[in-house]
Amino acid sequence: MEFNKFILLLLSVFFILGVAESFEYDEKELESEDGMRALYSRWRSHHKVEGRRNIERFNVFRHNAQHVHETNKMNKPYKLNLNMFADYTVHEHASIYQSKTSHYLALQGPFKTNLNYTHKDATNLPKRIDWRERNAVTPVENQGGCGSCWAFAAITAVEGINAIVTGQLTRLSEQQLMDCDTKSNACDGGLREPAFRFIKEHGGIATDESYPYTAKKGTCDASKFGHHSVTLSGSEWLDGTEEGIYKSVAHQPVSIGMDASSQDFVLYKQGVFTGPCGVNTNHAMTIVGYDETPEGMKYWIVKNSWSEAWGEKGYIRMQRGTPTKEGLCGINKYGAIPHKDANTKNIEL
């Protein structure tokens, strides 16, 4: 119970305060106990962290600070930083910010990949694409103290296909999915493709303005169904391969599940992330593009929902072209996309 109270206090602070600039430190601050304590105080001030000052929090921060420093000295294509999660253990972070995706997949019964996904026969694909540059991606949001990544990943994909088809980029409601989609469990996790089906079957998804996010499950407001809503014509899982993700992202943003439980992922700052990570699906995000570095390393452009203070203003570049079928961190396994044809009209928009 005390742990839960601590987590709620911690996350309420970050949810309210939002974005903070990147935190920098000097190597000399890590060399002594006094230096580390001063660094911890400066970090707390920078991120406006109030309360919860105790030896356990300091020990976690020290552990993460040393890891960040040692990792950044290695010849990796990405860097870490002392972001707002720097006094979390990996377990604490996972218990709040990540979704029990594997659990909900198991409840659905045997998972079948879709070998005949819509864009299977697509050719002449662009070498690079970034849907942010094509006005199909809304600003990064903060899911706060709630395992609602599944809803954010689903909504980003819906916002994307709606903008591509209609030319109108509209911020949509994660909260309506949280309150009303009984196939998922709000802050306790859920799935994206069933969320797309929910949107189709309930007359669309409301705008964020009409049904705003609260970072907790509320009572479903059924009066919002079919009003100021973006509608869908269908949805599908993909085939579980990088080619399926690649061909689909060339046409629209793709929601994905992956393993986000590594210390490096939580403390990621910039660059092309190459792991370490497993393939246990516990977090949902949305791929909004792909490209490669000047050195030829291919990557996905992935939108997260941990605020712009995390990563590259809320995004992470993740290596693609890895030798395993699952892809880095299992990113290829459970891609899903919504469909919207030109005849599926929005309501009151």
Side-chain angles (χ1 to χ4, degrees), residues 196-235:
F196 299 146
R197 284 187 270 127
F198 171 88
I199 292 170
K200 179 186 176 183
E201 294 166 2
H202 289 79
I205 187 74
T207 64
D208 181 67
E209 181 180 11
S210 67
Y211 208 138
Y213 186 65
T214 64
K216 61 183 179 180
K217 182 175 177 58
T219 302
C220 178
D221 186 352
S223 69
K224 299 293 178 68
F225 290 148
H227 298 286
H228 305 286
S229 297
V230 165
T231 58
L232 295 176
S233 56
S235 61

Coordinates of all heavy atoms in Angstrom, one line a residue, residues 196-235:
F196 N -9.6 -0.7 -32.0 CA -10.0 -0.2 -33.3 C -11.4 -0.8 -33.6 O -12.3 0.0 -34.2 CB -9.1 -0.7 -34.4 CG -7.7 -0.2 -34.3 CD1 -6.6 -1.0 -34.7 CD2 -7.4 1.1 -33.8 CE1 -5.3 -0.5 -34.6 CE2 -6.1 1.5 -33.7 CZ -5.0 0.7 -34.1
R197 N -11.7 -2.0 -33.3 CA -13.0 -2.6 -33.5 C -14.1 -1.9 -32.6 O -15.2 -1.7 -33.1 CB -13.0 -4.1 -33.2 CG -12.3 -4.9 -34.3 CD -12.4 -6.4 -34.1 NE -11.3 -6.9 -33.3 CZ -11.4 -7.6 -32.2 NH1 -12.6 -7.9 -31.7 NH2 -10.4 -8.1 -31.6
F198 N -13.7 -1.6 -31.4 CA -14.6 -0.8 -30.6 C -15.0 0.5 -31.2 O -16.2 0.9 -31.2 CB -13.9 -0.6 -29.2 CG -14.7 0.4 -28.3 CD1 -15.7 -0.1 -27.5 CD2 -14.5 1.7 -28.4 CE1 -16.5 0.7 -26.7 CE2 -15.2 2.6 -27.6 CZ -16.2 2.1 -26.7
I199 N -14.1 1.2 -31.8 CA -14.3 2.5 -32.4 C -15.3 2.3 -33.6 O -16.3 3.0 -33.8 CB -13.0 3.1 -32.9 CG1 -12.2 3.6 -31.7 CG2 -13.3 4.3 -33.8 CD1 -10.8 4.0 -32.0
K200 N -15.1 1.3 -34.4 CA -15.9 1.0 -35.5 C -17.4 0.7 -35.1 O -18.3 1.2 -35.7 CB -15.4 -0.1 -36.4 CG -16.3 -0.5 -37.6 CD -15.8 -1.7 -38.3 CE -16.8 -2.0 -39.5 NZ -16.4 -3.3 -40.2
E201 N -17.5 -0.1 -34.1 CA -18.8 -0.6 -33.6 C -19.6 0.4 -32.8 O -20.8 0.2 -32.7 CB -18.6 -1.9 -32.8 CG -18.0 -3.1 -33.6 CD -17.5 -4.2 -32.8 OE1 -17.6 -4.1 -31.5 OE2 -17.0 -5.2 -33.3
H202 N -18.9 1.4 -32.3 CA -19.6 2.4 -31.4 C -19.8 3.8 -32.1 O -19.8 4.8 -31.4 CB -19.0 2.4 -30.1 CG -19.2 1.2 -29.3 ND1 -18.4 0.1 -29.5 CD2 -20.0 0.9 -28.2 CE1 -18.8 -0.9 -28.6 NE2 -19.8 -0.4 -27.8
G203 N -19.7 3.8 -33.4 CA -20.0 5.1 -34.0 C -18.9 6.1 -34.0 O -19.1 7.3 -34.2
G204 N -17.6 5.6 -33.9 CA -16.5 6.4 -33.9 C -15.9 6.7 -32.6 O -16.3 6.2 -31.5
I205 N -14.8 7.5 -32.6 CA -14.1 7.9 -31.4 C -14.2 9.4 -31.2 O -14.0 10.2 -32.2 CB -12.6 7.5 -31.4 CG1 -12.0 7.7 -30.0 CG2 -11.8 8.1 -32.5 CD1 -12.4 6.8 -28.9
A206 N -14.5 9.9 -30.1 CA -14.8 11.3 -29.8 C -13.4 12.1 -29.8 O -12.3 11.5 -29.7 CB -15.4 11.5 -28.5
T207 N -13.5 13.4 -30.0 CA -12.3 14.2 -29.9 C -11.8 14.3 -28.5 O -12.6 14.2 -27.5 CB -12.6 15.7 -30.4 OG1 -13.6 16.3 -29.6 CG2 -13.2 15.6 -31.9
D208 N -10.6 14.7 -28.3 CA -10.0 14.8 -27.0 C -10.7 16.0 -26.3 O -10.8 16.1 -25.1 CB -8.5 15.0 -27.1 CG -7.9 15.2 -25.7 OD1 -7.9 14.3 -24.9 OD2 -7.4 16.3 -25.4
E209 N -11.0 17.0 -27.1 CA -11.7 18.2 -26.5 C -13.0 17.9 -25.9 O -13.3 18.4 -24.8 CB -11.9 19.3 -27.6 CG -12.5 20.6 -27.1 CD -12.7 21.6 -28.2 OE1 -12.5 21.2 -29.4 OE2 -13.0 22.7 -27.9
S210 N -13.8 17.0 -26.5 CA -15.1 16.7 -26.0 C -15.0 15.6 -24.9 O -16.0 15.4 -24.1 CB -16.0 16.2 -27.1 OG -15.6 15.0 -27.7
Y211 N -13.9 14.8 -24.9 CA -13.8 13.7 -23.9 C -12.3 13.7 -23.4 O -11.6 12.8 -23.8 CB -14.2 12.4 -24.5 CG -14.8 11.3 -23.6 CD1 -15.9 10.5 -24.0 CD2 -14.2 11.1 -22.4 CE1 -16.4 9.6 -23.1 CE2 -14.7 10.1 -21.5 CZ -15.7 9.3 -21.9 OH -16.2 8.4 -21.0
P212 N -11.9 14.6 -22.6 CA -10.5 14.8 -22.3 C -9.9 13.7 -21.4 O -10.6 13.0 -20.6 CB -10.5 16.1 -21.6 CG -11.8 16.3 -21.0 CD -12.8 15.6 -22.0
Y213 N -8.6 13.6 -21.4 CA -7.9 12.6 -20.7 C -7.7 12.9 -19.2 O -7.5 14.1 -18.8 CB -6.5 12.4 -21.3 CG -5.7 11.3 -20.7 CD1 -6.1 9.9 -20.8 CD2 -4.5 11.5 -20.0 CE1 -5.3 8.9 -20.3 CE2 -3.7 10.5 -19.5 CZ -4.2 9.2 -19.6 OH -3.4 8.1 -19.1
T214 N -7.9 11.9 -18.3 CA -7.8 12.1 -16.9 C -6.8 11.2 -16.2 O -6.6 11.4 -15.0 CB -9.2 11.9 -16.2 OG1 -9.5 10.5 -16.3 CG2 -10.2 12.8 -16.8
A215 N -6.2 10.3 -16.9 CA -5.2 9.4 -16.4 C -5.8 8.4 -15.3 O -5.0 7.9 -14.5 CB -4.0 10.1 -15.8
K216 N -7.0 8.2 -15.4 CA -7.7 7.2 -14.5 C -9.0 6.7 -15.2 O -9.5 7.4 -16.0 CB -8.0 7.7 -13.2 CG -8.9 8.9 -13.1 CD -9.1 9.5 -11.7 CE -10.0 10.7 -11.7 NZ -10.2 11.2 -10.4
K217 N -9.4 5.5 -14.8 CA -10.7 5.0 -15.4 C -11.9 5.8 -14.8 O -11.9 6.0 -13.6 CB -10.8 3.5 -15.1 CG -12.1 2.9 -15.8 CD -12.1 1.4 -15.6 CE -13.4 0.8 -16.1 NZ -13.6 1.1 -17.6
G218 N -12.8 6.2 -15.7 CA -14.0 6.8 -15.2 C -15.2 6.1 -15.7 O -15.1 5.0 -16.3
T219 N -16.4 6.7 -15.4 CA -17.6 6.1 -15.9 C -17.8 6.4 -17.4 O -17.6 7.5 -17.8 CB -18.8 6.6 -15.1 OG1 -18.6 6.3 -13.7 CG2 -20.1 6.0 -15.6
C220 N -18.2 5.4 -18.2 CA -18.3 5.6 -19.6 C -19.5 6.6 -19.9 O -20.6 6.4 -19.4 CB -18.6 4.3 -20.3 SG -18.9 4.4 -22.1
D221 N -19.2 7.6 -20.6 CA -20.2 8.6 -21.0 C -20.7 8.2 -22.4 O -20.2 8.6 -23.4 CB -19.6 10.0 -21.1 CG -20.7 11.0 -21.4 OD1 -21.8 10.7 -21.7 OD2 -20.3 12.2 -21.3
A222 N -21.8 7.3 -22.4 CA -22.3 6.8 -23.7 C -22.9 7.9 -24.5 O -23.1 7.7 -25.7 CB -23.3 5.7 -23.4
S223 N -23.3 9.0 -23.9 CA -23.9 10.1 -24.7 C -22.9 10.7 -25.7 O -23.3 11.4 -26.7 CB -24.3 11.2 -23.8 OG -23.3 11.9 -23.2
K224 N -21.6 10.4 -25.6 CA -20.6 10.9 -26.5 C -20.5 10.0 -27.8 O -19.8 10.4 -28.7 CB -19.2 11.0 -25.8 CG -19.2 12.0 -24.7 CD -19.4 13.4 -25.1 CE -19.5 14.4 -23.9 NZ -18.2 14.5 -23.2
F225 N -21.0 8.8 -27.7 CA -20.9 7.9 -28.9 C -21.6 8.6 -30.1 O -22.8 9.0 -30.1 CB -21.6 6.6 -28.7 CG -20.9 5.7 -27.7 CD1 -21.6 4.8 -26.8 CD2 -19.5 5.7 -27.6 CE1 -20.9 4.0 -25.9 CE2 -18.8 4.9 -26.7 CZ -19.5 4.1 -25.9
G226 N -20.9 8.7 -31.2 CA -21.5 9.2 -32.5 C -21.6 10.7 -32.5 O -22.3 11.2 -33.4
H227 N -20.9 11.4 -31.6 CA -20.9 12.9 -31.7 C -19.5 13.4 -31.8 O -18.6 13.0 -31.0 CB -21.6 13.4 -30.5 CG -23.1 13.0 -30.3 ND1 -24.1 13.6 -31.1 CD2 -23.7 12.1 -29.5 CE1 -25.2 13.0 -30.8 NE2 -25.0 12.2 -29.9
H228 N -19.3 14.3 -32.7 CA -17.9 14.9 -32.9 C -16.9 13.7 -32.9 O -15.9 13.7 -32.2 CB -17.6 15.9 -31.7 CG -18.6 16.9 -31.6 ND1 -18.7 18.0 -32.5 CD2 -19.5 17.2 -30.7 CE1 -19.7 18.8 -32.1 NE2 -20.2 18.3 -31.0
S229 N -17.1 12.8 -33.8 CA -16.4 11.5 -33.8 C -15.7 11.3 -35.2 O -16.2 11.6 -36.2 CB -17.3 10.4 -33.5 OG -17.8 10.5 -32.2
V230 N -14.5 10.6 -35.1 CA -13.8 10.1 -36.2 C -14.2 8.6 -36.3 O -14.1 7.8 -35.4 CB -12.3 10.2 -36.1 CG1 -11.6 9.3 -37.1 CG2 -11.9 11.7 -36.3
T231 N -14.6 8.2 -37.5 CA -15.1 6.8 -37.7 C -14.1 6.0 -38.5 O -13.2 6.5 -39.1 CB -16.4 6.8 -38.5 OG1 -16.2 7.5 -39.8 CG2 -17.5 7.6 -37.8
L232 N -14.2 4.6 -38.3 CA -13.3 3.7 -39.0 C -14.2 2.7 -39.8 O -15.3 2.5 -39.5 CB -12.5 2.9 -38.0 CG -11.5 3.7 -37.2 CD1 -10.8 2.8 -36.2 CD2 -10.4 4.4 -38.1
S233 N -13.5 2.2 -40.9 CA -14.2 1.1 -41.7 C -13.7 -0.3 -41.3 O -14.3 -1.2 -41.8 CB -14.0 1.4 -43.2 OG -12.6 1.5 -43.5
G234 N -12.7 -0.4 -40.5 CA -12.2 -1.7 -40.2 C -10.8 -1.6 -39.5 O -10.3 -0.6 -39.2
S235 N -10.2 -2.8 -39.3 CA -8.9 -2.9 -38.7 C -8.3 -4.2 -39.0 O -9.0 -5.2 -39.4 CB -9.0 -2.6 -37.2 OG -9.8 -3.5 -36.6

